[in-house]
Amino acid sequence: MYTVGIDLGSTTVCAVVAETVTGKLLFSKSVPNSAALPSYYPFEHLQDPSVLLQICEDLLDLCLKDYPVPVSIGITGQMHGILYLDSAGNPLSPLYTWQDQSDSEAFASSSYAETVSELTGYPISSGFGIATCFFHLKNKRIPEQASVFCTIGDFVAMKLCGRSSPLLHPSMAASLGAFDLEKNSFDTEALSKAGIPLTLLPRVALSEKELGIHSSGTSVTLAIGDNQASYYGSCQLPGTLLVNIGTGGQLSLVIQELPSSLPEGLEVRPYLNHTWLLTASSLCAGSAYALLKNFFMELLKEFSADMPSDPYRIMNKMAEAGASSSKIPVTDTRFLGSRTDPKSSGTISGLTFDSFHPSSLVYSVLKGICEELYLFYEQFPEIYRTGLRLMGSGNGLRKNPLLQTLFSERFQMPLSMTPFEEEAAYGCALYAFDLASGTFFFA
């Protein structure tokens, strides 16, 4: 028997097929996310939901060609972002992704995200769907015929099983903001204070369940968050701290009960089967390394030099050389700000004649990526920091052995990498099958 998983990532879309008895990965295919739309405003980050749906349908056709009768189809993807749908479930807007910064624009004496946080009493970060909706509300940009909003994963899952309205897993719903974790629902009273039209709120499932049936006769499950899917595909043992380095960075740890309070920057998210994920996120992890790569490529272009075919391989070697230097600059990699302070910026300090070298800079950026997440880890309540094992995932970590070493040394734990590259797609495939069989790793 087989199970299929599809991950709608920010830059790529991936589909996998796994064997249900052994968990063996049988098929994996990733394609570029080619749905990006031009933005009229520099703070917008838009994608075309119809293009994303077609990409998913094409990948699913590839899976079904060689594995025609899977037991289940799981969906995951980028969280936080929203699109608006009409009453028939058709898109009326682009997908405003998690990178959209519309709600960071000035509003009153602060920003839209800060204002909606104050009005609702919930910390709603820039890029979260509720903050984006608040920006659209105040600027009269909500489509007139809008019936509901949802995440891109919910839209695709809905369409794959012929539904006309979305139904959200709590992991997706909570990623939009103003979500009551204890009641497992949006806080409508708080949202009313901000003027958010309650009719636009999507329904939230009260339990793990099937969403519908694909035309192939295969069960389609509720879409789950990519953070949750990555954890499920990576960590089958309790007490595993997962560090994921992709475009952004994340720390995740399953906990059994909701904590009464948390330091700023930490977040509790719904996980699976009535458990929770304690998480911390950096906006700029792998993208910080990509930013440096682009800087080097621009420099080579200005000098009319040949462009290397694999600049990351060269940078990794540079970083190894820089690691042996006695003088290393200090890089704060918050080049995209942070969840709690979107207007913060990255810095490079400690530059001297001895440290101002490309190899030292590359090494410093890798240390900065690690350090930002370690500072979050230091804020984890002590009760959650004992007896942990460290697991790594994401191509930003998998393809950089030196970065793996830095995390292991900084966290003072051996680091093991997950066996498969596409953890989120694999995780949602397992989730889909385990939902059908009624078995969860964290029961």
Side-chain angles (χ1 to χ4, degrees), residues 87-235:
S87 59
N90 299 313
L92 294 173
S93 74
L95 166 66
Y96 299 91
T97 77
W98 63 274
Q99 294 173 307
D100 191 90
Q101 294 292 299
S102 303
D103 47 37
S104 292
E105 292 298 292
F107 180 75
S109 59
S110 53
S111 70
Y112 289 92
E114 290 167 337
T115 301
V116 77
S117 296
E118 293 171 2
L119 291 171
T120 62
Y122 285 82
I124 302 175
S125 300
S126 178
F128 281 31
I130 293 298
T132 303
C133 181
F134 184 70
F135 169 82
H136 294 156
L137 174 70
K138 295 302 181 181
N139 290 275
K140 303 186 186 308
R141 295 180 60 182
I142 297 177
E144 288 186 7
Q145 301 302 314
S147 175
V148 68
F149 58 68
C150 65
T151 75
I152 186 61
D154 301 309
F155 168 71
V156 169
M158 175 189 79
K159 287 296 186 181
L160 288 182
C161 56
R163 289 174 58 102
S164 59
S165 62
L167 178 64
L168 273 60
H169 187 274
S171 62
M172 283 298 204
S175 78
L176 302 181
F179 191 81
D180 189 320
L181 294 174
E182 292 185 350
K183 295 180 178 178
N184 209 38
S185 64
F186 289 105
D187 190 331
T188 54
E189 182 177 349
L191 289 169
S192 295
K193 294 177 182 178
I196 300 294
L198 301 184
T199 56
L200 293 178
L201 297 177
R203 289 177 55 220
V204 180
L206 298 179
S207 62
E208 314 289 340
K209 63 183 297 182
E210 175 189 276
L211 181 65
I213 303 296
H214 184 256
S215 58
S216 63
T218 305
S219 169
V220 179
T221 59
L222 297 168
I224 59 174
D226 55 358
N227 182 198
Q228 289 82 355
S230 291
Y231 197 97
Y232 200 69
S234 304
C235 307

Side-chain angles (χ1 to χ4, degrees), residues 14-17 25-30 59 63 67 421-422 425:
C14 174
V16 303
V17 178
L25 188 65
L26 302 175
F27 172 84
S28 176
K29 176 70 174 179
S30 293
L59 283 172
C63 296
Y67 304 94
E421 290 190 15
E422 300 298 344

Side-chain angles (χ1 to χ4, degrees), residues 30-98:
S30 293
V31 297
N33 181 334
S34 56
L37 292 171
S39 301
Y40 183 78
Y41 299 102
F43 49 74
E44 289 184 324
H45 287 265
L46 314 175
Q47 294 181 359
D48 188 329
S50 297
V51 170
L52 283 168
L53 175 61
Q54 187 61 57
I55 292 172
C56 291
E57 289 178 335
D58 291 345
L59 283 172
L60 184 55
D61 286 345
L62 280 177
C63 296
L64 296 179
K65 179 180 178 182
D66 292 327
Y67 304 94
V69 193
V71 175
S72 49
I73 299 171
I75 305 293
T76 187
Q78 49 182 299
M79 300 188 291
H80 309 303
I82 59 169
L83 68 152
Y84 297 95
L85 307 178
D86 65 17
S87 59
N90 299 313
L92 294 173
S93 74
L95 166 66
Y96 299 91
T97 77
W98 63 274

